[in-house]
Amino acid sequence: MALGCGALETVRLLDEDLDLRAGLEGSELDAARGQAHAVMFGAYPPAWNPAAIIARAQLGWLGLLVLDGLLVRRVQVGRRRSCELFGPGDLLRPWDVDDVHDPLAVTVDWLVRKPTRLAVLDSDFLLRTARWPTIHSQIVARAVGRARDLALIQAVDHFPTAHARLLIVFWVLAARWGKVTPDGVLITLPITHELLSMLIGTRRPTVTLALQRLARLGLLVRKDREQWLLSSTAIESLNQLDNLQLVDDEVVLSA
């Protein structure tokens, strides 16, 4: 299978993604491990062109499963851009085209923020693993979970301030990339101000100013290039975001 994006390997999916073993034990797990193998290829910074995999995709394919790394799907309509992030465990289908929105001009491209490995869940994979529907169920559940997260992030646009939007988005991201610490949740994610501006629907300078104020207040602090700390104080304020205001670099909860 020529995909035009790095060397191909065969991986055992249940060894790469242990959560897919749910409900399987003993001899059934051993059998599933042997059959749930898939072709894997890599995508590398700064960008990925899925043209080769799109050309080979067939109607019965389930999708591409992200094993590790981080991809950004960037969508542009006119001068406006939005994006979504794909990390370990996510399912994507780049062959699902966007021309169904004609005559609306939609442009899509893919950025690679971290080297990414993708497993091809083709028709052969589905036939080999048909005996264990829990594997397919786990993958579909993740796709539905992504849809719920995207709906939540869309609700961000209803908040008038950039700092409230950023706190919500980082709380959603924390569920995927966060680690609980005594000071809050540490989120390891190589995300730029530009990507954050696309996630919350505002301009990059606005994001930069909002991040600076949140950092001064200790609510959201960038620890290094890839780590952000969402503080315990910020988490406690999430259920009061409609009343949260930053006045002279102080947190004020209005009535």
Side-chain angles (χ1 to χ4, degrees), residues 130-164:
R131 174 178 161 188
W132 303 282
T134 55
I135 297 175
H136 305 165
S137 177
Q138 287 283 326
I139 295 169
V140 172
R142 294 175 184 181
V144 173
R146 279 190 55 76
R148 287 197 298 265
D149 286 347
L150 287 174
L152 178 57
I153 289 177
Q154 286 175 351
V156 163
D157 291 340
H158 296 281
F159 285 85
T161 61
H163 62 261

Side-chain angles (χ1 to χ4, degrees), residues 9-13 35-40 119-121 125 128:
E9 299 179 27
T10 298
V11 295
R12 288 192 172 191
L13 213 58
Q35 293 298 317
H37 55 82
V39 171
M40 180 275 296
V120 182
L121 307 187
F125 170 84
R128 287 194 306 272

Side-chain angles (χ1 to χ4, degrees), residues 120-195:
V120 182
L121 307 187
D122 56 16
S123 303
D124 289 340
F125 170 84
L126 293 176
L127 290 172
R128 287 194 306 272
T129 56
R131 174 178 161 188
W132 303 282
T134 55
I135 297 175
H136 305 165
S137 177
Q138 287 283 326
I139 295 169
V140 172
R142 294 175 184 181
V144 173
R146 279 190 55 76
R148 287 197 298 265
D149 286 347
L150 287 174
L152 178 57
I153 289 177
Q154 286 175 351
V156 163
D157 291 340
H158 296 281
F159 285 85
T161 61
H163 62 261
R165 297 182 188 185
L166 285 167
L167 291 178
I168 295 173
V169 164
F170 269 93
W171 180 242
V172 174
L173 297 176
R176 293 289 312 279
W177 288 281
K179 178 182 178 180
V180 177
T181 73
D183 299 319
V185 179
L186 190 64
I187 302 160
T188 301
L189 195 61
I191 190 169
T192 64
H193 290 196
E194 181 181 5
L195 290 178

